Amino acid sequence: ILFKNEDLSNEEQKILENKTLCKKISEKLHQIKIIDPACGSGAFPMGVLSRMVELLDKLDIENQKSHYDLKLHLIEECIYGVDIQSIAAQISKLRFFISLIVEQEKMDFSKENYGVHTLPNLETKFVTANTLINARKQKESFSSLFDSAISNIKESLVETRKAHFYAKNSHQKKLLREKDEALREELAQKLQEFGQANSDDAKNFAEWNPYDQNASSPFFDMEWMFGVEDGFDIVIGNPPYIQLQKDGGKLAKMYENQGYQTFARTGDIYSLFYEKGYQILKPKGILAYITSNKWMRAGYGEATRSFFAEKTNPLQLIDFAGIKVFESATVDTNILIFAKENNTFSTRACVVKDKELKKLSDYIKHHSIRCRFDSSESWVILSEIEQRIKTKIEAVGTPLRDWDIQINYGIKTGFNEAFIINGEKRKELIAQDPKSAEIIRPILRGRDIKRYSYEFADLYIITTFPSLKIDIESYPTVKQYLMSFGYDRLKQTGEKGARKKTNNKWFETQDSIGYWEDFYKQKIVYQELTQGSCFYLDKE
């Protein structure tokens, strides 16, 4: 929070005037450990590097270091990154190299020793690994005798990799990498001696080569890869948003036996990253992620909400609702900051409603409220008055699940490009064969549903629902139109390039839609992924 503005507050000015306190804060910042467990191209690590240089510049009043020296220290001792894709780790390293080169260009080399400023080697700062596969559980089962026997090897590996960070030429790097390989071979031999060789994790530890830039480790271990034993002070990032059931549940199968409390087969991978971040934090450490906000209300988020309430102290929750933070993202996002400590049940929470924010920190200061998030129930950010109204409604009202109503999901065609047409195409098909109008109906997408109303986008659906048992030969114009997309693309066999496997015919929609008559009744229509209160009463 300190020094976020050019104009210092009285409190910040007092800190700068207190040289002892400045020195103490500076020393702590020089020792801090920060990691992005899904670093991508390194945007978040780069951001924290720049921010820390700004802070240290203001704090180190008496002992001013060059920005190059500050960055070099922070990169070596403080900032780390992991990503499952090798290209991501490579790009992260490149960005840090460029950052150092920029500082070199500002130097007066007539006063400084150019040799000292050789660019470092970052192979052991940004590693390629599967962050969510935790080998520590198995590693802790190694015998204490084995741990004692390999302690010298571990220390030598740490020293070798630190020396490699500063290696100035290819010959030095070659010698250090050969030493690293020899130490890993020695470790493998120890594993054999102690009967640990059959443990996949033990073999992974011995075989992991940080200098192979095209390989991805099947596990992640902060002690083995970074020499960090007691955890990180700060975990930051923007973890990926991928449904665990995607691609036939491939990710669900990979992570279901990893012991994650937040695991839900219908859930999203970012929930596991929250828990992983918690695992690698020091006590009282801070995690700050920006992710999809669906965990706040979705059914699959129940385990995640319970984990936050029981295991963490949620300090700040910023829900961006419909405001797009990332242009390429199709989901709504939020920022959650929690500490690894007991929950104080006093979260500073805020819903961002302004599309153009000049300064997020000022907006939060003026619009945030205190919320008590203490259970797995949906986390809704409400003012004190709204919370009291909600409590009253829940006390006397009947939950929707107890009403005598049926809830249906929208239509799944499996190939919208073929089955959803615009008004112009509808007119064209009906002009060729008026009978086509019987199976072409107007449709609303989730994005067309607004608060209390809708915006018709002049789109129509070809209603070849399996439950209607339509004879496509009775609609030759529609048949010809659908066939223009190709039988191989329309067929429902699950083959590559086709729709998923069903018992339905090639011209039918993906799902049966047995409730099609309900479309003619009064109903409430809503988005599956709501952006606020988007419900529309359809009387027709």
Side-chain angles (χ1 to χ4, degrees):
I1 297 173
L2 295 178
F3 317 129
K4 60 182 179 291
N5 302 313
E6 288 300 318
D7 299 324
L8 300 180
S9 66
N10 291 334
E11 182 184 358
E12 290 167 340
Q13 194 62 52
K14 287 179 182 178
I15 290 174
L16 287 181
E17 291 170 1
N18 186 334
K19 295 181 180 179
T20 303
L21 182 57
C22 280
K23 184 179 179 182
K24 186 177 180 180
I25 295 173
S26 175
E27 288 173 353
K28 289 292 183 183
L29 284 175
H30 275 85
Q31 298 166 11
I32 204 166
K33 300 288 184 186
I34 304 172
I35 187 170
D36 185 336
C39 64
S41 59
F44 282 69
M46 272 301 303
V48 82
L49 175 68
S50 300
R51 192 75 187 93
M52 288 183 71
V53 169
E54 288 177 20
L55 286 172
L56 290 169
D57 226 10
K58 291 179 177 178
L59 290 166
D60 292 340
I61 302 169
E62 295 182 344
N63 185 25
Q64 283 285 340
K65 293 182 180 178
S66 70
H67 280 193
Y68 181 92
D69 289 332
L70 280 176
K71 286 185 176 180
L72 190 63
H73 169 82
L74 293 172
I75 293 169
E76 181 192 4
E77 299 291 343
C78 304
I79 301 173
Y80 303 83
V82 189
D83 200 278
I84 198 167
Q85 295 184 333
S86 59
I87 187 65
Q90 298 279 36
I91 294 172
S92 295
K93 285 183 278 191
L94 179 61
R95 292 180 77 161
F96 273 69
F97 281 139
I98 293 171
S99 177
L100 288 170
I101 291 170
V102 168
E103 299 304 336
Q104 278 192 349
E105 291 177 349
K106 298 176 185 176
M107 291 180 176
D108 181 355
F109 290 112
S110 63
K111 299 179 181 179
E112 307 212 32
N113 182 353
Y114 181 77
V116 174
H117 301 291
T118 303
L119 291 173
N121 304 292
L122 304 180
E123 284 85 351
T124 53
K125 298 288 106 180
F126 293 93
V127 301
T128 306
N130 189 336
T131 311
L132 297 177
I133 299 294
N134 186 8
R136 180 159 293 277
K137 182 174 64 175
Q138 289 85 347
K139 183 164 164 279
E140 285 175 346
S141 67
F142 293 171
S143 66
S144 57
L145 185 62
F146 172 73
D147 281 337
S148 175
I150 68 166
S151 61
N152 289 337
I153 300 175
K154 285 168 62 179
E155 289 176 11
S156 296
L157 277 169
V158 170
E159 291 173 4
T160 301
R161 289 167 184 173
K162 189 166 186 175
H164 186 274
F165 181 87
Y166 286 107
K168 297 178 181 178
N169 55 56
S170 57
H171 178 66
Q172 283 182 328
K173 286 195 284 187
K174 181 174 181 293
L175 292 176
L176 289 166
R177 291 185 182 189
E178 288 174 350
K179 183 179 179 180
D180 194 301
E181 184 178 6
L183 287 167
R184 283 185 278 114
E185 289 176 357
E186 186 180 349
L187 173 62
Q189 188 176 348
K190 291 288 183 185
L191 290 170
Q192 191 73 37
E193 292 174 8
F194 282 83
Q196 306 279 4
N198 292 326
S199 164
D200 289 338
D201 289 310
K203 288 168 67 177
N204 284 334
F205 280 118
E207 294 171 0
W208 179 65
N209 179 7
Y211 311 109
D212 184 351
Q213 298 304 290
N214 296 315
S216 180
S217 170
F219 73 96
F220 169 68
D221 186 272
M222 61 182 181
E223 180 183 350
W224 201 255
M225 294 175 169
F226 294 139
V228 176
E229 296 185 19
D230 55 350
F232 292 89
D233 299 283
I234 297 174
V235 176
I236 57 173
N238 171 221
Y241 321 147
I242 309 171
Q243 292 182 341
L244 296 178
Q245 60 185 350
K246 189 177 180 182
D247 296 332
K250 180 180 177 182
L251 292 174
K253 293 171 187 174
M254 182 183 296
Y255 299 124
E256 65 181 340
N257 295 319
Q258 289 298 311
Y260 287 107
Q261 296 177 43
T262 55
F263 177 86
R265 184 167 287 276
T266 57
D268 201 289
I269 198 170
Y270 67 77
S271 290
L272 307 186
F273 271 98
Y274 271 117
E275 189 170 348
K276 183 65 179 185
Y278 173 88
Q279 291 174 358
I280 60 179
L281 274 178
K282 289 180 180 177
K284 297 188 180 299
I286 301 290
L287 178 143
Y289 281 172
I290 181 166
T291 67
S292 163
N293 67 1
K294 296 301 172 259
W295 64 264
M296 294 174 63
R297 292 171 290 274
Y300 74 74
E302 182 177 0
T304 302
R305 296 189 294 270
S306 178
F307 181 83
F308 291 151
E310 295 172 7
K311 298 286 187 180
T312 79
N313 185 19
L315 303 174
Q316 194 162 301
L317 177 60
I318 307 163
D319 186 3
F320 290 96
I323 307 298
K324 295 297 179 189
V325 178
F326 303 114
E327 286 298 325
S328 59
T330 57
V331 298
D332 295 335
T333 53
N334 67 12
I335 294 173
L336 176 67
I337 301 174
F338 71 64
K340 190 174 182 177
E341 61 186 11
N342 292 333
N343 196 344
T344 60
F345 307 110
S346 181
T347 304
R348 191 177 181 186
C350 175
V351 178
V352 178
K353 297 178 180 178
D354 290 5
K355 291 188 176 181
E356 294 187 11
L357 285 174
K358 292 184 178 179
K359 191 168 290 184
L360 181 60
S361 57
D362 288 345
Y363 186 91
I364 295 167
K365 184 178 180 180
H366 292 108
H367 294 88
S368 63
I369 54 178
R370 293 289 175 180
C371 291
R372 180 185 177 88
F373 297 127
D374 58 2
S375 72
S376 62
E377 295 295 318
S378 293
W379 285 23
V380 184
I381 300 172
L382 301 172
S383 66
E384 288 185 18
I385 294 174
E386 290 169 331
Q387 289 176 37
R388 288 199 294 270
I389 293 172
K390 178 174 178 285
T391 302
K392 284 184 178 181
I393 292 172
E394 290 173 342
V396 299
T398 303
L400 194 61
R401 63 176 174 268
D402 296 334
W403 288 29
D404 184 21
I405 59 172
Q406 182 177 337
I407 299 177
N408 298 314
Y409 55 75
I411 297 168
K412 296 179 182 177
T413 69
F415 189 18
N416 286 349
E417 291 85 349
F419 288 90
I420 296 180
I421 60 177
N422 58 29
E424 186 179 347
K425 175 57 70 174
R426 171 182 172 270
K427 290 177 182 177
E428 180 186 321
L429 295 176
I430 293 173
Q432 293 177 32
D433 178 12
K435 190 175 174 60
S436 300
E438 295 176 4
I439 59 170
I440 299 177
R441 295 279 299 167
I443 188 170
L444 295 173
R445 302 164 299 175
R447 73 192 75 171
D448 301 326
I449 310 300
K450 308 303 176 184
R451 200 176 218 185
Y452 315 128
S453 64
Y454 68 89
E455 291 180 2
F456 184 49
D458 195 30
L459 294 176
Y460 299 81
I461 182 168
I462 297 172
T463 62
T464 50
F465 305 146
S467 59
L468 290 175
K469 302 187 184 307
I470 286 172
D471 179 6
I472 196 63
E473 300 302 331
S474 299
Y475 304 95
T477 302
V478 172
K479 177 184 177 182
Q480 184 180 359
Y481 166 73
L482 289 175
M483 281 299 291
S484 69
F485 290 91
Y487 171 75
D488 288 340
R489 178 64 183 88
L490 287 164
K491 64 184 181 181
Q492 304 189 54
T493 60
E495 297 174 14
K496 188 175 181 180
R499 289 187 286 170
K500 79 172 187 178
K501 188 174 183 179
T502 71
N503 293 322
N504 302 333
K505 298 173 182 176
W506 67 269
F507 60 86
E508 294 177 330
T509 56
Q510 182 174 284
D511 289 335
S512 180
I513 318 297
Y515 49 87
W516 63 270
E517 288 182 324
D518 290 350
F519 291 124
Y520 296 95
K521 301 176 183 178
Q522 282 195 8
K523 56 196 167 295
I524 294 175
V525 187
Y526 61 95
Q527 298 182 12
E528 182 181 6
L529 302 176
T530 58
Q531 299 178 354
S533 303
C534 297
F535 294 85
Y536 163 62
L537 175 61
D538 179 9
K539 296 179 180 180
E540 300 175 3

